[in-house]
Amino acid sequence: MSMTKPKKNNPDELLIGLVSISDRASSGVYEDQGIPALRDWFGAALSSPWTMVTRLIPDEQAQIERTLIELVDEAGCDLVLTTGGTGPSRRDVTPEATLAVATKPMPGFGEQMRQISLRFVPTAILSRQVAVIRETPDHAALIMNLPGQPKSIRETLEGLKDADGKQLVPGIFAAVPYCIDLIGGPYIETNEAVCKAFRPKSAIRPKPVSPPAAPTDQA
């Protein structure tokens, strides 16, 4: 059954699909942490309009594929983020499902995620996160796999900073706004204290200039 496409409040509103993939969380064994962590992060990181659609599903490849297709093709999401299911265990099938619905792989995102995580734990090399573009005749979206733990989600998106806030290793989200530009999505602006988006100078939209104040009559 098809879903009703969410209505955007303006053309530059970013529609984000958040998918938490976990057998235990989806069955109520424990509370999902991935979607709340992402909701909080985007609330702090984005300064342009955005809205979200969420899904909590088990580690079933066919269901993950259906959910990703639904969020892009029917809901019209511009960006879809998954959490969970990217390790080497038998039930971890999120990367396989993501690649199955892709039209273009975007390997740089996964490579950078592992580089960030390796700063903290050597087992980061066991993570298999991928990112892809899914295209339809009139729409395209970026789909990215993220870790499942809130701390790792934040580190992956923001990157690493020193005690003074200087960026040591860029997070993956710095490249997301320009990627969304290139595939025809809305113009994303960020809170630079959290994550500074990078675009070539030619792709930066000029800030609106406030009109000068009207003169006042002097008595």
Side-chain angles (χ1 to χ4, degrees):
M1 187 175 76
S2 62
M3 68 173 291
T4 302
K5 187 172 182 176
K7 184 178 179 181
K8 290 190 175 185
N9 295 315
N10 68 62
D12 274 337
E13 183 173 67
L14 175 69
L15 181 55
I16 306 172
L18 303 179
V19 186
S20 187
I21 300 164
S22 167
D23 288 332
R24 290 180 291 172
S26 63
S27 63
V29 173
Y30 63 72
E31 188 173 355
D32 172 62
Q33 297 181 349
I35 289 174
L38 283 166
R39 182 189 294 115
D40 291 346
W41 190 85
F42 280 111
L46 296 185
S47 58
S48 52
W50 66 284
T51 189
M52 65 181 182
V53 181
T54 64
R55 298 287 185 271
L56 176 58
I57 60 175
D59 294 277
E60 296 288 349
Q61 182 170 342
Q63 187 170 353
I64 299 168
E65 291 178 21
R66 287 195 302 270
T67 300
L68 297 178
I69 291 170
E70 171 211 345
L71 289 173
V72 176
D73 298 17
E74 298 180 33
C77 289
D78 307 294
L79 173 65
V80 179
L81 301 177
T82 72
T83 72
T86 60
S89 75
R90 197 176 291 268
R91 293 288 292 170
D92 289 332
V93 293
T94 301
E96 285 74 18
T98 304
L99 292 169
V101 305
T103 52
K104 288 187 178 77
M106 301 293 289
F109 286 105
E111 293 164 4
Q112 183 66 3
M113 282 189 257
R114 283 179 281 278
Q115 285 299 313
I116 293 168
S117 297
L118 276 168
R119 295 292 187 102
F120 299 97
V121 290
T123 51
I125 59 174
L126 302 179
S127 297
R128 303 184 301 114
Q129 291 102 323
V130 301
V132 304
I133 303 294
R134 177 172 173 81
E135 298 161 309
T136 69
D138 59 357
H139 181 63
L142 174 63
I143 305 173
M144 299 192 299
N145 305 151
L146 297 178
Q149 296 301 316
K151 180 176 181 291
S152 298
I153 290 172
R154 185 181 70 253
E155 292 164 350
T156 297
L157 293 170
E158 288 183 26
L160 307 180
K161 298 176 182 178
D162 65 17
D164 297 322
K166 182 181 178 181
Q167 195 82 51
L168 300 175
V169 180
I172 62 166
F173 200 81
V176 169
Y178 187 49
C179 181
I180 298 295
D181 291 348
L182 293 173
I183 62 175
Y187 190 86
I188 303 168
E189 295 184 278
T190 63
N191 175 359
E192 293 188 3
V194 178
C195 178
K196 183 177 181 179
F198 178 82
R199 288 180 171 93
K201 289 183 179 180
S202 61
I204 297 174
R205 186 180 292 182
K207 299 284 186 183
V209 178
S210 300
T216 56
D217 292 332
Q218 297 289 328

